[in-house]
């Protein structure tokens, strides 16, 4: 049976992006969501819903998100949302139990009273202006279910480097830096993948610039651990960084994420205009 035609939603909110995507590109973000937000998915009385917002020209990331979140909570359903009707039509042959695709944008058009416990928006806002970010965040957070999570960020084409902001209904909470450690020369290499809210703020005088500068210094101080492997050097550098920066994952459970080439920082420490400044 041929896929049924896509009926465009009335005026979806947003603009069409390039739509570039690759299989396994968002694995770091997905695994973090499953590990950190898995308990909230399991506590949900109804089958939890996650949205892959702006999945692009191919549906691979939505298919993968379903598999990874179902490993944390088998009842999870994923809805892929795309603003370009042709991409929705191309994705619908991949629909299956727990996976569907709809036409829409930042309004996140789910049926009836359904509200998602997760919205993942990867590589979407990179093509917008910085001044538009706060309104998009507000709109998306308003669609979340109680206890829900918005994850918005940017990665490279094959998912080696990724930086994302995690937000709740109240607003931004944390920033996570994630990398394949074997590809890393120094932590500030991640600067090119900062999300739109931060990428133009990586200049002297801004907190995110100070953070990456201090991370590079900690990485250099941890150089003797390189003989034990990049993972041990990363873990040591993050421990040094924790002396001066409020890491959200400094507890025992969070430190397991360090072994994956991740570190998560409180948003308030990196937010533009925060009291923490780059003093060199």
């Amino acid at each position: 049976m041929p896929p049924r035609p896509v009926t465009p939603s009335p005026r979806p909110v947003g603009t069409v992006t390039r739509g570039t995507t690759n299989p396994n590109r968002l694995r770091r973000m997905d695994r973090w969501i499953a590990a950190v937000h898995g308990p909230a998915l399991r506590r949900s009385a109804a089958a939890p819903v996650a949205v892959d917002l702006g999945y692009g020209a191919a549906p691979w990331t939505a298919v993968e998100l379903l598999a990874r979140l179902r490993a944390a909570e088998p009842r999870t359903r994923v809805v892929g949302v795309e603003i370009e009707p042709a991409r929705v039509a191309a994705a619908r042959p991949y629909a299956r139990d727990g996976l569907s695709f709809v036409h829409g944008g930042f309004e996140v058009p789910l049926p009836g009273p359904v509200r998602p416990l997760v919205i993942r928006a990867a590589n979407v806002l990179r093509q917008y202006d910085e001044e538009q970010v706060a309104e998009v965040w507000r709109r998306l957070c308003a669609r979340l279910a109680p206890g829900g999570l918005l994850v918005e960020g940017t990665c490279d084409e094959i998912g080696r480097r990724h930086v994302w902001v995690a937000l709740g209904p109240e607003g931004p909470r944390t920033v996570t830096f994630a990398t394949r450690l074997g590809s890393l020369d120094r932590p500030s290499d991640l600067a090119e993948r900062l999300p739109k809210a931060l990428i133009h703020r990586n200049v002297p005088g801004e907190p995110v610039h100070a953070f990456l500068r201090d991370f590079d210094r900690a990485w250099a101080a941890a150089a003797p651990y390189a003989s034990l492997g990049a993972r041990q050097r990363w873990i040591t550098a993050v421990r040094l960084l924790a002396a001066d920066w409020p890491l959200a994952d400094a507890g025992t459970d969070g430190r397991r994420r360090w072994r994956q080439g991740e570190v998560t920082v409180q948003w308030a420490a990196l937010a533009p205009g925060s009291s923490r400044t780059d003093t060199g």
Side-chain angles (χ1 to χ4, degrees):
M1 179 182 295
R4 63 184 185 276
V6 176
T7 302
S9 302
R11 293 191 177 183
V13 179
T15 58
V16 177
T17 61
R18 289 189 296 270
T20 54
T21 188
N22 280 307
N24 220 26
R25 185 182 188 187
L26 302 182
R27 61 194 179 278
R28 300 182 194 283
M29 180 183 278
D30 290 353
R31 291 167 183 164
W32 183 89
I33 294 171
V36 172
H37 205 54
L41 298 176
R42 291 188 287 272
R43 287 193 300 266
S44 176
V49 174
V51 168
D52 185 9
L53 180 63
Y55 56 84
W60 320 134
T61 61
V63 173
E64 293 165 352
L65 182 63
L66 178 67
R68 289 167 183 151
L69 293 188
R70 282 200 161 177
E73 170 46 70
R75 299 175 301 150
T76 303
R77 296 186 292 126
V78 169
V79 179
V81 176
E82 246 299 334
I83 199 167
E84 172 54 64
R87 295 174 187 171
V88 182
R92 281 195 169 153
Y94 295 87
R96 62 188 72 172
D97 177 44
L99 177 63
S100 59
F101 299 91
V102 301
H103 176 244
F106 296 136
E107 77 281 6
V108 190
L110 300 184
V114 175
R115 296 172 67 187
L117 263 174
V118 176
I119 298 176
R120 185 190 65 185
N123 305 302
V124 174
L125 292 187
R126 192 158 179 95
Q127 298 173 55
Y128 285 73
D129 293 333
E130 181 183 359
E131 293 75 17
Q132 296 174 282
V133 171
E135 172 57 23
V136 172
W137 280 359
R138 184 200 63 76
R139 181 183 289 271
L140 294 178
C141 286
R143 291 291 289 127
L144 290 172
L149 187 73
L150 165 64
V151 183
E152 186 273 308
T154 305
C155 69
D156 67 2
E157 288 72 13
I158 58 175
R160 293 171 303 173
R161 298 171 185 170
H162 208 153
V163 186
W164 60 81
V165 181
L167 306 93
E170 78 287 355
R173 296 173 178 171
T174 60
V175 184
T176 298
F177 298 78
T179 185
R180 185 170 72 83
L181 292 170
S183 71
L184 192 70
D185 181 41
R186 56 184 180 177
S188 61
D189 291 346
L190 287 160
E192 66 182 22
R193 297 301 163 182
L194 287 168
K196 178 59 72 170
L198 295 174
I199 193 165
H200 301 299
R201 302 293 181 150
N202 185 30
V203 294
E206 289 284 350
V208 69
H209 185 272
F211 174 79
L212 290 171
R213 177 206 64 207
D214 288 356
F215 205 169
D216 279 351
R217 290 174 178 173
W219 182 252
Y225 289 83
S227 61
L228 301 176
R231 177 177 293 172
Q232 291 304 315
R233 185 178 183 182
W234 174 271
I235 291 170
T236 301
V238 171
R239 284 176 176 156
L240 294 171
L241 196 64
D244 296 308
W245 291 89
L247 304 188
D249 52 6
T252 302
D253 290 342
R255 289 178 186 177
R256 296 193 184 107
R257 307 307 306 168
W258 298 355
R259 296 182 58 81
Q260 309 302 315
E262 296 174 10
V263 62
T264 298
V265 190
Q266 297 290 352
W267 165 260
L270 301 186
S274 70
S275 59
R276 184 140 195 171
T277 57
D278 185 350
T279 59

